[in-house]
């Protein structure tokens, strides 16, 4: 594959290394994740340095790789349709995030949890390739980075971390120390197709202001049982139209949003995630029936 021809990340673009590493981990496992991590890395790299010879060589090589991936995965809708791609990447990031959160709340503290929290935060970053992040994703990203640094520091000091959000976390870390925000339509029981998050031993680059997690943890398996997370499996009944004649004035934005929910449902079915698919389809139906989310 074209990824083999990508040179090492130059020093001036070292902030991109973790996204490139995640992309490499997923080349065989999940090319959609791989594709959008590389695309985000290119977009960020162009902002950092697009003029030096080393940076240009690296960025052009990654762009060539992206073009090759488009051809190689011509039949993969998530690579060519950004609505589907965004749903796929967001669901994948949330699964990793919820795995780490479930382990943390069960007081199973180890290097795998640190790496999972941090990897989820990187994938939340990559979602910016689709535009501005929602407030929920921003909060979860901040919480994941804080938890990764906090648990790592506690383990390093030989201390036992506090499971879940801290009661006084707002004083310590603002709103990010509070409970993570997970979409109500997202399942608490995580059963993705892929048995592991990734097996790379690559170093992780931590943004300023946090402490680096260990560089060689083993990735956790996601196919084992996990405890219920912060969201609920309850599926509400469909909402009937408020207009007796069924006439609802829908805007173009309403149609786009309904299509997004349908794409999310399709992405969930790729993971055999029936509750999430049903929830998203019901949200689309509710919007089409009532004109309200």
């Amino acid at each position: 594959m074209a990824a083999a021809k990508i040179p090492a990340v130059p020093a001036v673009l070292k902030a991109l290394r973790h996204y490139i590493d995640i992309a490499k981990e997923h080349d065989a496992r999940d090319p959609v994740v791989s594709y959008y991590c590389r695309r985000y890395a290119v977009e960020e790299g162009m902002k950092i340095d697009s003029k030096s010879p080393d940076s240009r060589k690296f960025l052009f090589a990654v762009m060539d790789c992206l073009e090759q991936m488009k051809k190689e995965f011509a039949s993969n809708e998530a690579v060519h349709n950004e609505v589907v791609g965004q749903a796929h990447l967001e669901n994948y990031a949330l699964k990793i995030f919820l795995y780490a959160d479930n382990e943390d709340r069960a007081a199973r503290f180890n290097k795998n949890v640190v790496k999972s929290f941090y990897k989820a935060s990187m994938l939340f970053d990559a979602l910016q390739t689709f535009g501005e992040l929602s407030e929920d994703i921003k909060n979860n990203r901040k919480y994941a980075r804080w938890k990764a640094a906090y648990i790592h520091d506690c383990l390093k000091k030989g201390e036992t971390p506090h499971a879940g959000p801290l009661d006084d976390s707002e004083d310590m870390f603002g709103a990010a120390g509070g409970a993570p925000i997970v979409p109500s339509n997202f399942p608490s029981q995580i059963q993705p197709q892929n048995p592991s998050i990734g097996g790379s031993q690559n170093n992780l680059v931590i943004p300023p202001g946090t402490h680096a997690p260990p560089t060689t943890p083993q990735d956790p398996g996601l196919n084992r049982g996990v405890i219920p997370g912060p969201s609920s499996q309850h599926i509400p009944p469909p909402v009937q139209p408020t207009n007796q004649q069924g006439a609802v004035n829908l805007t173009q934005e309403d149609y786009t949003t309904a299509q997004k929910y349908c794409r999310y449902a399709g992405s969930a079915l790729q993971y055999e995630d029936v509750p999430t698919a049903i929830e998203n389809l019901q949200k689309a139906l509710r919007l089409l029936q009532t004109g309200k989310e």
Side-chain angles (χ1 to χ4, degrees), residues 79-151:
V79 172
H80 296 273
N81 185 315
E82 289 198 358
V83 175
V84 182
Q86 181 178 6
H88 183 104
L89 185 60
E90 185 173 323
N91 281 345
Y92 188 83
L94 283 170
K95 287 179 187 293
I96 296 176
F97 177 77
L98 280 179
Y99 164 81
D101 188 56
N102 287 333
E103 292 293 285
D104 172 46
R105 288 168 185 268
R108 291 190 285 265
F109 305 114
N110 51 56
K111 295 178 180 179
N112 295 333
V113 175
V114 173
K115 187 172 183 181
S116 296
F117 267 128
Y118 193 70
K119 184 173 290 186
S121 77
M122 296 296 99
L123 292 170
F124 290 145
D125 276 346
L127 283 168
Q128 293 175 111
T129 191
F130 303 105
E132 182 71 19
L133 297 179
S134 69
E135 288 303 312
D136 287 356
I137 294 297
K138 286 180 181 178
N139 288 335
N140 284 345
R141 178 180 62 176
K142 194 173 183 182
Y143 181 87
R145 282 190 178 144
W146 166 69
K147 263 296 182 179
Y150 168 70
I151 296 174

